Amino acid sequence: MPTPLTEIRNIGPAMAEMLQRAGIDSAETLREIGADAAYRAVLRMGSRPHFIAFYVLHMGLQGRPWNDCQGEEKAALRRRFDQIKAQAFDPHLSELEKTLNEIGVGSHR
């Protein structure tokens, strides 16, 4: 039986619902794809970008409280968030380019 998303630290009912709408239906699935891919899926399904939700996913998957993200770690996550957001909404990138970027072999990493 799959583990509910809410079993991951920092994920409450609202975030679990958002992830489920994006096709991420269990804690195992979220752990397997990781926070970056999960957040891309959330953006693709139409959610507005929100930095806190992005870093809360990262902290939760590490078993850390959401407010543990500070300093350079938070700055680095902000750069990743901005990059993911830009790629998700860049009308000039083809679907193939977006997919290649997601797996780390595209030119817009």
Side-chain angles (χ1 to χ4, degrees):
M1 181 166 191
T3 306
L5 288 160
T6 53
E7 292 295 312
I8 295 176
R9 186 178 191 136
N10 305 328
I11 297 182
M15 184 173 284
E17 183 180 324
M18 177 180 68
L19 290 165
Q20 288 167 340
R21 283 195 319 266
I24 302 159
D25 59 356
S26 70
E28 290 83 6
T29 300
L30 180 56
R31 285 185 185 105
E32 182 180 317
I33 67 171
D36 288 3
Y39 203 75
R40 282 185 194 96
V42 164
L43 292 180
R44 274 196 215 106
M45 70 90 193
S47 285
R48 289 182 54 214
H50 198 280
F51 177 56
I52 293 173
F54 176 73
Y55 77 74
V56 162
L57 279 174
H58 277 275
M59 296 294 103
L61 286 172
Q62 295 174 31
R64 296 166 57 195
W66 68 271
N67 57 358
D68 196 33
C69 186
Q70 298 179 21
E72 179 50 39
E73 180 181 29
K74 191 171 188 176
L77 284 173
R78 181 62 198 215
R79 289 188 294 273
R80 285 170 61 184
F81 169 79
D82 289 341
Q83 182 180 37
I84 289 168
K85 184 176 71 167
Q87 290 171 353
F89 298 107
D90 186 345
H92 299 100
L93 290 179
S94 70
E95 287 305 310
L96 175 61
E97 289 172 307
K98 289 178 186 176
T99 301
L100 290 172
N101 288 338
E102 283 178 28
I103 62 173
V105 296
S107 61
H108 292 89
R109 284 185 265 165

